[in-house]
Amino acid sequence: QVQLVESGGGSVQAGGSLRLSCAASGYNYNPICMGWFRQAPGKEREEREGVASIYTGTGTTLYVDSVKGRFTISRDNAKNTLYLQMSSLKPEDTATYYCAAVPHSFCDLNMGSYNYWGQGTHVTVSS
């Protein structure tokens, strides 16, 4: 059973930083595509926005335009942990952030491409 457990969310003022972590277990897929998605307050699950993805085989990353230059996705393969370093946070970054994974080499930011999901961690950015 694949398990993804996010942590690191919290409240921060605009301009601040947070690092989210996602501990993965229960699978032997390697390499694998992993991503971070977010669901803003009042939005439905189907409206989750892809924030960043990484293919562990090559380290290739992909970001949504709104976070480029501010967020960095990375993975520690030895620890089976995915990270999202978020800097220069804005109030519009407020959301529940979800970690996702799929044993596939094609990494995109479409939530329908991912079949394993964590429970989410909440981030609040105040102005």
Side-chain angles (χ1 to χ4, degrees):
Q1 182 72 17
V2 176
Q3 285 193 318
L4 302 173
V5 180
E6 302 95 333
S7 61
S11 297
V12 64
Q13 288 193 326
S17 299
L18 282 175
R19 188 178 79 158
L20 306 183
S21 299
C22 172
S25 62
Y27 69 89
N28 292 316
Y29 309 117
N30 192 30
I32 191 170
C33 179
M34 300 193 75
W36 286 100
F37 290 76
R38 63 187 179 186
Q39 185 172 342
K43 297 289 188 181
E44 299 295 329
R45 182 183 186 277
E46 293 73 21
E47 297 175 277
R48 285 181 189 176
E49 177 186 38
V51 176
S53 68
I54 185 168
Y55 178 56
T56 64
T58 60
T60 301
T61 58
L62 181 66
Y63 296 92
V64 68
D65 284 347
S66 60
V67 307
K68 285 180 180 177
R70 300 189 299 122
F71 291 9
T72 301
I73 187 172
S74 62
R75 173 176 161 91
D76 186 329
N77 289 336
K79 295 182 178 180
N80 271 350
T81 300
L82 180 72
Y83 302 100
L84 185 67
Q85 178 67 47
M86 305 186 295
S87 303
S88 301
L89 283 161
K90 304 175 181 180
E92 51 263 43
D93 295 318
T94 295
T96 300
Y97 284 72
Y98 295 88
C99 171
V102 60
H104 199 278
S105 61
F106 176 71
C107 292
D108 61 13
L109 297 179
N110 180 1
M111 67 171 292
S113 299
Y114 294 77
N115 50 6
Y116 299 112
W117 291 85
Q119 83 290 346
T121 186
H122 192 64
V123 172
T124 300
V125 184
S126 57
S127 57

